[in-house]
Amino acid sequence: MAKLTIIQQNDTHGSLDLHDELFWKDNQPELKKTGGLPRIAKYVKNLKLKTENVLFLDGGDLFHGTLPLVASKGEALLPALHKMELDGWVPGNWDYAYGKEQLSSLANALPFPAVACNVKESSSDSFFLKPYLIKEFNGMKIAIIGLTYPYVDETMPESFAKGLSFSKGVEEARRCVDELKDSVDLIVLLSHMGLPLDVELATQVEGIDIILSGHSHDRIERPITVNGALVVQAGSSASFLGKLEITLKDGKIADYQYELVAIDESFPVDEEMEGIIEEILLPYKKERKNIVGRTESILHRMTLNEAPMDQLITDAYLDSFPECDLAFSHGWRYGTPIRPGDITEYDLHSIIPTNPQMFTLEMSGEQLINALEKNLEMVFSRDPFKQKGGYILRSSGLFMAFKPYNPDGNRIQKLLVGGKEISLTKKYKIAGGGKQLFKNAEARKTYHGVQAIDVIKKFLQQRGTYKAVQEPRIISI
């Protein structure tokens, strides 16, 4: 018998140091200080000192999410990653934010390989990254197959996917498994497809032993068993690690134990990593100290229908463009919570790190309903491979009641704009930000040369203290 410990992190999104994380206590949200790379680095180092055969893997969205990463196109993180003792990584959808060439440059600068079997060069149909890697531990051979987010070209701005082509990865994963199964002891799928897609893929591809899932920010406390595969995911924001200890016998998993480890303040820090993170943050001292407003509410993105963090964004948009009937923002998952109190400029760059340019757009009532139905299908589709969204589109000025289990195109039961029934023929003016939102209507958008963060700063300065509306405006029935 042989033993292997797999440590998983995913969707760190630039959460470099200790920060607030949201947990549920009884029926109320509760914030606790968690996470950061200094504590993760120390945890992994200590584990490797006392445990043989430790495999440490990252599930993507590594290079985007906070100001230091976005301002440097991911390069600020490289000194820290050289000390993290990772063994491999798969890119997430946000890792394509700086374009193909920059992602290639970042991957080549890492001391560990990037893997993805379902992204290719558009011009040659050759693999953009290695499809898999093999690690050896005391005679054990472990194959790690990478699966990146399959819909970068469909759901992200056009620049993300330029020069690349993406696939669902089912056939590619199957071919990799067939190629590897007779020469390795364990097959691990390192994925940034999202939990529903990973579970569905496991039903379609035989021979996978473990799926390390990413993208959907799920805190899996007990492995999901599907078609002989163990599926786990480790939350987000460098707040958690997944620890999977397995015992192998005759090429099969004979036993396993799993723990979702919340990296809280009780965990020691790695002093060298702490110094590296301080250096990364130093150029942003001004933004970290510049208070731009206050909040009475916990600002978070932990709820699917609507969330206070996004309510702040869309309320600010609508306030800045009073001629508009509605404001929308994308249903992002990233962004660590902000506790009641001061909001800094650095916080705003974590709330909306893309800092998109503001636009206005006219839509008929019918076009608006169709866009919202499409979004609901991307969130709730019965086919996991059609679940391409994050959360439901965030909005201000809208009331919507819907049935998530209804067929595609028939979920919305009630839709009000400004408190009045929507009219199919009426034109409605919408405020929003960036190219990811209403991507199919790009040609009809009017951009206004002002960035989202400036709009939110102005709104907070005028408002004084922000308080999110408690009454639900988006309701599943």
Side-chain angles (χ1 to χ4, degrees), residues 201-214:
L201 181 133
T203 69
Q204 298 185 31
V205 180
E206 301 285 340
I208 300 170
D209 297 299
I210 294 166
I211 298 180
L212 303 179
S213 179

Side-chain angles (χ1 to χ4, degrees), residues 66-364:
T66 55
L67 182 56
L69 274 62
V70 175
S72 68
K73 296 185 177 180
E75 292 178 10
L77 190 60
L78 290 173
L81 294 177
H82 274 264
K83 300 292 183 180
M84 284 293 287
E85 300 188 21
L86 278 156
D87 294 296
W89 163 68
V90 63
N93 51 307
W94 285 103
D95 294 315
Y96 296 88
Y98 318 117
K100 169 190 160 186
E101 286 75 19
Q102 180 66 359
L103 177 54
S104 183
S105 175
L106 292 169
N108 290 334
L110 295 173
F112 49 87
V115 289
C117 71
N118 62 326
V119 56
K120 293 185 176 182
E121 301 272 2
S122 298
S123 58
S124 63
D125 201 40
S126 58
F127 288 111
F128 176 57
L129 302 167
K130 294 179 181 179
Y132 59 81
L133 66 98
I134 296 175
K135 295 286 292 186
E136 293 194 41
F137 297 93
N138 296 330
M140 284 187 293
K141 281 189 175 182
I142 314 300
I144 299 107
I145 303 168
L147 269 182
T148 192
Y149 183 66
Y151 303 119
V152 174
D153 52 345
E154 295 184 33
T155 64
M156 309 303 287
E158 186 178 347
S159 61
F160 283 42
K162 189 175 181 180
L164 298 170
S165 61
F166 298 81
S167 69
K168 294 177 183 177
V170 175
E171 291 304 320
E172 290 83 355
R174 188 176 287 126
R175 283 196 292 270
C176 287
V177 170
D178 288 343
E179 182 180 335
L180 292 162
K181 63 184 179 183
D182 294 328
S183 58
V184 300
D185 299 290
L186 191 77
I187 294 179
V188 177
L189 192 66
L190 181 61
S191 172
H192 194 88
M193 299 221 301
L195 188 65
L197 278 70
D198 288 323
V199 169
E200 177 62 22
L201 181 133
T203 69
Q204 298 185 31
V205 180
E206 301 285 340
I208 300 170
D209 297 299
I210 294 166
I211 298 180
L212 303 179
S213 179
H215 179 60
S216 48
H217 296 203
D218 285 286
R219 303 175 187 178
I220 300 298
E221 297 186 357
R222 293 177 298 279
I224 302 166
T225 304
V226 186
N227 196 19
L230 300 175
V231 185
V232 294
Q233 193 177 136
S236 63
S237 305
S239 299
F240 304 89
L241 292 173
K243 181 184 180 185
L244 180 61
E245 298 174 296
I246 61 172
T247 302
L248 283 173
K249 184 178 181 181
D250 300 327
K252 294 187 179 295
I253 298 175
D255 192 21
Y256 70 86
Q257 293 186 342
Y258 179 75
E259 180 185 5
L260 181 66
V261 182
I263 306 295
D264 61 29
E265 287 184 279
S266 68
F267 286 72
V269 299
D270 180 87
E271 292 182 0
E272 182 184 20
M273 183 64 75
E274 192 171 39
I276 291 170
I277 298 305
E278 287 175 0
E279 286 294 316
I280 293 172
L281 293 172
L282 189 60
Y284 307 98
K285 186 176 181 180
K286 176 176 171 285
E287 288 85 356
R288 287 164 69 85
K289 287 190 172 182
N290 182 24
I291 296 169
V292 296
R294 290 181 59 81
T295 176
E296 199 175 309
S297 309
I298 297 175
L299 302 181
H300 69 82
R301 277 196 177 114
M302 287 290 291
T303 41
L304 189 148
N305 285 4
E306 51 188 335
M309 186 177 285
D310 298 299
Q311 194 179 119
L312 167 62
I313 293 172
T314 55
D315 284 356
Y317 286 0
L318 200 53
D319 181 80
S320 187
F321 293 89
E323 74 277 15
C324 288
D325 304 290
L326 297 156
F328 286 96
S329 184
H330 194 78
W332 293 306
R333 295 186 180 98
Y334 59 59
T336 55
I338 297 169
R339 67 176 57 239
D342 293 337
I343 303 172
T344 68
E345 188 172 351
Y346 190 90
D347 289 331
L348 294 187
H349 282 276
S350 301
I351 287 172
I352 188 162
T354 56
N355 192 17
Q357 186 179 160
M358 297 299 301
F359 68 78
T360 52
L361 167 69
E362 279 198 352
M363 279 188 176
S364 68

Side-chain angles (χ1 to χ4, degrees), residues 376-377 380-382 402-407 411 475-477:
L376 291 171
E377 172 66 6
F380 295 108
S381 177
R382 291 169 180 168
F402 69 98
K403 291 188 174 181
Y405 51 80
N406 270 15
R411 290 185 172 92
I475 301 173
S476 54
I477 57 176

